[in-house]
Amino acid sequence: MDTQHTEDTEEFSLPRSRMANERLHALIPGGAHTYAKGDDQYPENLAPVISHGHGAHVWDIDGNRYLEYGSGLRSVSLGHAHPRVTEAVRRELDRGSNFVRPSIVEVEAAERFLATVPTAEMVKFAKNGSDATTAAVRLARAATGRPRVAICADHPFFSTDDWFIGTTPISSGIPAATTDLTVTFPYGDLAATEELLTRYEDEVACLILEPATHTEPPPGYLAGLRELADRHGCVLIFDEMITGFRWSEAGAQGLYGVVPDLSTFGKALGNGFAVSALAGRRDLMERGGLRHSGDRVFLLSTTHGAETHALSAAMAVQTTYVEEGITARLHALGERLAAGVRDVASGMGVGDHIVVRGRASNLVYATLDENRQPSQQYRTLFLRRLLAGGVLAPSFVVSSALSDADIDRTVDVVAQACAVYRKALDAADPTAWLAGRPVKPVFRRLA
């Protein structure tokens, strides 16, 4: 039975979740298997531990029900336990999941993926995004014979591997010699990128970036990158972990009409099941295969990379997106939510402080202080009020399981949060509404 949420955050507590978080920290470094899911990302003692989810709702172990946004770190775009996906998985479970030779499901999944993303010619599946992006980087280095990787400095995450993590504040344990081989370029600035490629002439193996994030690519930008990569002889890699399916079924490359040499997909591809993909040009991908005469590349070789139930989930996701117009629905829901939040924030006098950003299918929000600077304290205040109102929203990224009524309910809770936000701004001090330490950024040097 659902617990009734209260508008008074002083009365809202999660005793069972608090005890479970202590158990998590005692056994699991960080208390979670993804840093972005850590309890440091939530107000103190208000990090719900989840019991189960269905559709757009999740229940914590204290009995509270929440409308959930950003589900599974953007991976559950169809909603939890989506019937077409779970049925596809169930069909495979009694047939075995992993064999000593490829399953016929592997070729069927590859055919389905390449029909959905026709800009690619070959695909290889894995279990997580980091494996796919690292394989793309390795392939680019092998193909070009060059050591350096150029990453977009404005995009927050590419991999758990050393070539990327060495560039973050959490670089402990990574040799400087590895980090020195990674250079950065700014998003949207072709001149700066060309200057970088000229400075490291014949050294840069690849340019890797998300083709789009919270802002649309400037006109001609992606095509300009394509031309720069061709002229300087480096590989263009699109990280489509987020843009894949949320921008279009064929990803951002399908929407914007610019074809990368390699691209990586994950998150929405499995609707919560563990599956990712590296896709791209045949001549590049085949370097990791057996039908060429050059040096072999150890591309991707994962024991569990082709589990039949996960590949069946991916096929069901792609079918659902195409047949049910999911991308369009995500955009429609996001537009309704963004308009509602902006309207109530403006009406409460905090429209310049709670700022919704991003494509409608991938909305985030910024919490700004009285000087309009990003503030972890105000984010904490905002999150506390949302949680107390039954909205679990580290972002405003929608799933297609949300209804219009769910969006309207969310906007009502946001309005209540905005009223408190206004009081904190007027006092120029949000601490009275925090009830503990502020939330913390994921990438920081010290715990």
Side-chain angles (χ1 to χ4, degrees), residues 141 147-149 162-163 166-167 174-184 200 203:
R141 282 172 161 163
R148 295 191 186 275
V149 178
D162 289 0
W163 60 270
T167 68
I174 300 173
T178 298
T179 304
D180 289 345
L181 292 177
T182 301
V183 295
T184 64
Y200 295 107
E203 293 183 42

PDB file of all heavy atoms in Angstrom, residues 141 147-149 162-163 166-167 174-184 200 203:
ATOM      1  N   ARG A 141      42.593   4.183 -33.129  1.00  0.00           N
ATOM      2  CA  ARG A 141      44.050   4.209 -32.986  1.00  0.00           C
ATOM      3  C   ARG A 141      44.713   3.185 -33.916  1.00  0.00           C
ATOM      4  O   ARG A 141      45.741   3.460 -34.536  1.00  0.00           O
ATOM      5  CB  ARG A 141      44.434   3.939 -31.534  1.00  0.00           C
ATOM      6  CG  ARG A 141      44.264   5.149 -30.626  1.00  0.00           C
ATOM      7  CD  ARG A 141      44.454   4.795 -29.168  1.00  0.00           C
ATOM      8  NE  ARG A 141      44.731   5.978 -28.354  1.00  0.00           N
ATOM      9  CZ  ARG A 141      44.625   6.016 -27.032  1.00  0.00           C
ATOM     10  NH1 ARG A 141      44.236   4.934 -26.354  1.00  0.00           N
ATOM     11  NH2 ARG A 141      44.904   7.128 -26.371  1.00  0.00           N
ATOM     12  N   PRO A 147      48.335   8.048 -31.680  1.00  0.00           N
ATOM     13  CA  PRO A 147      48.140   7.768 -30.258  1.00  0.00           C
ATOM     14  C   PRO A 147      47.074   8.602 -29.550  1.00  0.00           C
ATOM     15  O   PRO A 147      46.523   8.180 -28.533  1.00  0.00           O
ATOM     16  CB  PRO A 147      49.505   8.064 -29.652  1.00  0.00           C
ATOM     17  CG  PRO A 147      50.036   9.188 -30.516  1.00  0.00           C
ATOM     18  CD  PRO A 147      49.529   8.891 -31.911  1.00  0.00           C
ATOM     19  N   ARG A 148      46.803   9.819 -30.032  1.00  0.00           N
ATOM     20  CA  ARG A 148      45.985  10.749 -29.244  1.00  0.00           C
ATOM     21  C   ARG A 148      44.488  10.589 -29.507  1.00  0.00           C
ATOM     22  O   ARG A 148      44.060  10.304 -30.620  1.00  0.00           O
ATOM     23  CB  ARG A 148      46.398  12.197 -29.512  1.00  0.00           C
ATOM     24  CG  ARG A 148      47.812  12.529 -29.064  1.00  0.00           C
ATOM     25  CD  ARG A 148      48.075  14.034 -29.110  1.00  0.00           C
ATOM     26  NE  ARG A 148      49.471  14.321 -28.819  1.00  0.00           N
ATOM     27  CZ  ARG A 148      49.950  14.450 -27.583  1.00  0.00           C
ATOM     28  NH1 ARG A 148      49.144  14.361 -26.544  1.00  0.00           N
ATOM     29  NH2 ARG A 148      51.233  14.688 -27.394  1.00  0.00           N
ATOM     30  N   VAL A 149      43.723  10.819 -28.449  1.00  0.00           N
ATOM     31  CA  VAL A 149      42.265  10.817 -28.519  1.00  0.00           C
ATOM     32  C   VAL A 149      41.786  12.227 -28.215  1.00  0.00           C
ATOM     33  O   VAL A 149      42.186  12.816 -27.200  1.00  0.00           O
ATOM     34  CB  VAL A 149      41.670   9.838 -27.494  1.00  0.00           C
ATOM     35  CG1 VAL A 149      40.151   9.883 -27.530  1.00  0.00           C
ATOM     36  CG2 VAL A 149      42.183   8.433 -27.727  1.00  0.00           C
ATOM     37  N   ASP A 162      40.668   4.392 -18.602  1.00  0.00           N
ATOM     38  CA  ASP A 162      41.691   5.378 -18.250  1.00  0.00           C
ATOM     39  C   ASP A 162      41.768   6.553 -19.218  1.00  0.00           C
ATOM     40  O   ASP A 162      42.039   7.690 -18.804  1.00  0.00           O
ATOM     41  CB  ASP A 162      43.067   4.704 -18.176  1.00  0.00           C
ATOM     42  CG  ASP A 162      43.205   3.793 -16.970  1.00  0.00           C
ATOM     43  OD1 ASP A 162      42.239   3.685 -16.192  1.00  0.00           O
ATOM     44  OD2 ASP A 162      44.288   3.189 -16.808  1.00  0.00           O
ATOM     45  N   TRP A 163      41.555   6.327 -20.503  1.00  0.00           N
ATOM     46  CA  TRP A 163      41.717   7.396 -21.487  1.00  0.00           C
ATOM     47  C   TRP A 163      40.755   8.551 -21.221  1.00  0.00           C
ATOM     48  O   TRP A 163      41.043   9.692 -21.579  1.00  0.00           O
ATOM     49  CB  TRP A 163      41.529   6.876 -22.919  1.00  0.00           C
ATOM     50  CG  TRP A 163      40.197   6.270 -23.210  1.00  0.00           C
ATOM     51  CD1 TRP A 163      39.835   4.966 -23.072  1.00  0.00           C
ATOM     52  CD2 TRP A 163      39.023   6.945 -23.709  1.00  0.00           C
ATOM     53  NE1 TRP A 163      38.512   4.772 -23.433  1.00  0.00           N
ATOM     54  CE2 TRP A 163      37.991   5.967 -23.832  1.00  0.00           C
ATOM     55  CE3 TRP A 163      38.746   8.261 -24.064  1.00  0.00           C
ATOM     56  CZ2 TRP A 163      36.722   6.286 -24.289  1.00  0.00           C
ATOM     57  CZ3 TRP A 163      37.468   8.570 -24.522  1.00  0.00           C
ATOM     58  CH2 TRP A 163      36.482   7.604 -24.636  1.00  0.00           C
ATOM     59  N   GLY A 166      41.024   9.646 -16.629  1.00  0.00           N
ATOM     60  CA  GLY A 166      42.236  10.410 -16.313  1.00  0.00           C
ATOM     61  C   GLY A 166      42.081  11.905 -16.509  1.00  0.00           C
ATOM     62  O   GLY A 166      42.861  12.693 -15.965  1.00  0.00           O
ATOM     63  N   THR A 167      41.057  12.319 -17.254  1.00  0.00           N
ATOM     64  CA  THR A 167      40.831  13.750 -17.499  1.00  0.00           C
ATOM     65  C   THR A 167      39.889  14.368 -16.472  1.00  0.00           C
ATOM     66  O   THR A 167      39.638  15.568 -16.513  1.00  0.00           O
ATOM     67  CB  THR A 167      40.235  13.975 -18.903  1.00  0.00           C
ATOM     68  OG1 THR A 167      38.895  13.449 -18.944  1.00  0.00           O
ATOM     69  CG2 THR A 167      41.082  13.306 -19.975  1.00  0.00           C
ATOM     70  N   ILE A 174      45.557   6.526 -12.229  1.00  0.00           N
ATOM     71  CA  ILE A 174      45.740   6.549 -13.682  1.00  0.00           C
ATOM     72  C   ILE A 174      47.058   7.259 -14.001  1.00  0.00           C
ATOM     73  O   ILE A 174      47.258   8.410 -13.614  1.00  0.00           O
ATOM     74  CB  ILE A 174      44.568   7.252 -14.372  1.00  0.00           C
ATOM     75  CG1 ILE A 174      43.269   6.503 -14.059  1.00  0.00           C
ATOM     76  CG2 ILE A 174      44.791   7.331 -15.881  1.00  0.00           C
ATOM     77  CD1 ILE A 174      42.017   7.190 -14.534  1.00  0.00           C
ATOM     78  N   PRO A 175      47.992   6.596 -14.692  1.00  0.00           N
ATOM     79  CA  PRO A 175      49.289   7.213 -15.000  1.00  0.00           C
ATOM     80  C   PRO A 175      49.139   8.466 -15.855  1.00  0.00           C
ATOM     81  O   PRO A 175      48.292   8.521 -16.760  1.00  0.00           O
ATOM     82  CB  PRO A 175      50.027   6.114 -15.770  1.00  0.00           C
ATOM     83  CG  PRO A 175      49.326   4.842 -15.434  1.00  0.00           C
ATOM     84  CD  PRO A 175      47.893   5.220 -15.197  1.00  0.00           C
ATOM     85  N   ALA A 176      49.959   9.453 -15.567  1.00  0.00           N
ATOM     86  CA  ALA A 176      49.921  10.703 -16.340  1.00  0.00           C
ATOM     87  C   ALA A 176      50.201  10.447 -17.811  1.00  0.00           C
ATOM     88  O   ALA A 176      49.662  11.135 -18.688  1.00  0.00           O
ATOM     89  CB  ALA A 176      50.919  11.697 -15.767  1.00  0.00           C
ATOM     90  N   ALA A 177      51.031   9.459 -18.092  1.00  0.00           N
ATOM     91  CA  ALA A 177      51.369   9.166 -19.492  1.00  0.00           C
ATOM     92  C   ALA A 177      50.134   8.776 -20.291  1.00  0.00           C
ATOM     93  O   ALA A 177      50.036   9.075 -21.489  1.00  0.00           O
ATOM     94  CB  ALA A 177      52.400   8.043 -19.542  1.00  0.00           C
ATOM     95  N   THR A 178      49.175   8.137 -19.628  1.00  0.00           N
ATOM     96  CA  THR A 178      47.917   7.782 -20.294  1.00  0.00           C
ATOM     97  C   THR A 178      47.056   9.015 -20.517  1.00  0.00           C
ATOM     98  O   THR A 178      46.545   9.255 -21.610  1.00  0.00           O
ATOM     99  CB  THR A 178      47.136   6.759 -19.457  1.00  0.00           C
ATOM    100  OG1 THR A 178      47.915   5.569 -19.333  1.00  0.00           O
ATOM    101  CG2 THR A 178      45.799   6.430 -20.092  1.00  0.00           C
ATOM    102  N   THR A 179      46.938   9.822 -19.468  1.00  0.00           N
ATOM    103  CA  THR A 179      46.109  11.028 -19.550  1.00  0.00           C
ATOM    104  C   THR A 179      46.657  12.009 -20.580  1.00  0.00           C
ATOM    105  O   THR A 179      45.886  12.694 -21.270  1.00  0.00           O
ATOM    106  CB  THR A 179      46.022  11.701 -18.172  1.00  0.00           C
ATOM    107  OG1 THR A 179      45.513  10.752 -17.230  1.00  0.00           O
ATOM    108  CG2 THR A 179      45.098  12.904 -18.204  1.00  0.00           C
ATOM    109  N   ASP A 180      47.957  12.085 -20.700  1.00  0.00           N
ATOM    110  CA  ASP A 180      48.573  13.032 -21.635  1.00  0.00           C
ATOM    111  C   ASP A 180      48.194  12.753 -23.083  1.00  0.00           C
ATOM    112  O   ASP A 180      48.342  13.631 -23.945  1.00  0.00           O
ATOM    113  CB  ASP A 180      50.098  12.995 -21.490  1.00  0.00           C
ATOM    114  CG  ASP A 180      50.575  13.619 -20.183  1.00  0.00           C
ATOM    115  OD1 ASP A 180      49.777  14.326 -19.533  1.00  0.00           O
ATOM    116  OD2 ASP A 180      51.737  13.383 -19.814  1.00  0.00           O
ATOM    117  N   LEU A 181      47.724  11.551 -23.362  1.00  0.00           N
ATOM    118  CA  LEU A 181      47.357  11.198 -24.731  1.00  0.00           C
ATOM    119  C   LEU A 181      45.920  11.605 -25.072  1.00  0.00           C
ATOM    120  O   LEU A 181      45.490  11.440 -26.211  1.00  0.00           O
ATOM    121  CB  LEU A 181      47.522   9.692 -24.953  1.00  0.00           C
ATOM    122  CG  LEU A 181      48.969   9.182 -24.932  1.00  0.00           C
ATOM    123  CD1 LEU A 181      49.000   7.668 -25.078  1.00  0.00           C
ATOM    124  CD2 LEU A 181      49.794   9.840 -26.035  1.00  0.00           C
ATOM    125  N   THR A 182      45.193  12.135 -24.096  1.00  0.00           N
ATOM    126  CA  THR A 182      43.835  12.620 -24.336  1.00  0.00           C
ATOM    127  C   THR A 182      43.831  14.137 -24.359  1.00  0.00           C
ATOM    128  O   THR A 182      44.303  14.777 -23.422  1.00  0.00           O
ATOM    129  CB  THR A 182      42.863  12.112 -23.257  1.00  0.00           C
ATOM    130  OG1 THR A 182      42.866  10.681 -23.260  1.00  0.00           O
ATOM    131  CG2 THR A 182      41.450  12.605 -23.525  1.00  0.00           C
ATOM    132  N   VAL A 183      43.318  14.709 -25.433  1.00  0.00           N
ATOM    133  CA  VAL A 183      43.221  16.157 -25.578  1.00  0.00           C
ATOM    134  C   VAL A 183      41.752  16.519 -25.758  1.00  0.00           C
ATOM    135  O   VAL A 183      40.909  15.640 -26.001  1.00  0.00           O
ATOM    136  CB  VAL A 183      44.070  16.660 -26.770  1.00  0.00           C
ATOM    137  CG1 VAL A 183      45.556  16.422 -26.501  1.00  0.00           C
ATOM    138  CG2 VAL A 183      43.662  15.965 -28.077  1.00  0.00           C
ATOM    139  N   THR A 184      41.423  17.779 -25.626  1.00  0.00           N
ATOM    140  CA  THR A 184      40.019  18.184 -25.642  1.00  0.00           C
ATOM    141  C   THR A 184      39.746  19.275 -26.667  1.00  0.00           C
ATOM    142  O   THR A 184      40.631  20.064 -27.012  1.00  0.00           O
ATOM    143  CB  THR A 184      39.571  18.691 -24.258  1.00  0.00           C
ATOM    144  OG1 THR A 184      40.303  19.870 -23.921  1.00  0.00           O
ATOM    145  CG2 THR A 184      39.792  17.637 -23.182  1.00  0.00           C
ATOM    146  N   TYR A 200      48.388  19.164 -33.259  1.00  0.00           N
ATOM    147  CA  TYR A 200      48.793  17.768 -33.116  1.00  0.00           C
ATOM    148  C   TYR A 200      48.675  17.050 -34.459  1.00  0.00           C
ATOM    149  O   TYR A 200      48.119  15.960 -34.554  1.00  0.00           O
ATOM    150  CB  TYR A 200      47.932  17.075 -32.065  1.00  0.00           C
ATOM    151  CG  TYR A 200      48.103  17.612 -30.671  1.00  0.00           C
ATOM    152  CD1 TYR A 200      47.102  18.386 -30.081  1.00  0.00           C
ATOM    153  CD2 TYR A 200      49.264  17.372 -29.935  1.00  0.00           C
ATOM    154  CE1 TYR A 200      47.250  18.881 -28.792  1.00  0.00           C
ATOM    155  CE2 TYR A 200      49.424  17.867 -28.656  1.00  0.00           C
ATOM    156  CZ  TYR A 200      48.407  18.622 -28.091  1.00  0.00           C
ATOM    157  OH  TYR A 200      48.562  19.115 -26.815  1.00  0.00           O
ATOM    158  N   GLU A 203      48.699  13.217 -35.222  1.00  0.00           N
ATOM    159  CA  GLU A 203      48.769  12.544 -33.925  1.00  0.00           C
ATOM    160  C   GLU A 203      47.395  12.137 -33.401  1.00  0.00           C
ATOM    161  O   GLU A 203      47.290  11.241 -32.553  1.00  0.00           O
ATOM    162  CB  GLU A 203      49.435  13.446 -32.881  1.00  0.00           C
ATOM    163  CG  GLU A 203      50.901  13.732 -33.119  1.00  0.00           C
ATOM    164  CD  GLU A 203      51.487  14.563 -31.988  1.00  0.00           C
ATOM    165  OE1 GLU A 203      51.176  14.274 -30.811  1.00  0.00           O
ATOM    166  OE2 GLU A 203      52.230  15.513 -32.277  1.00  0.00           O
TER     167      GLU A 203
END
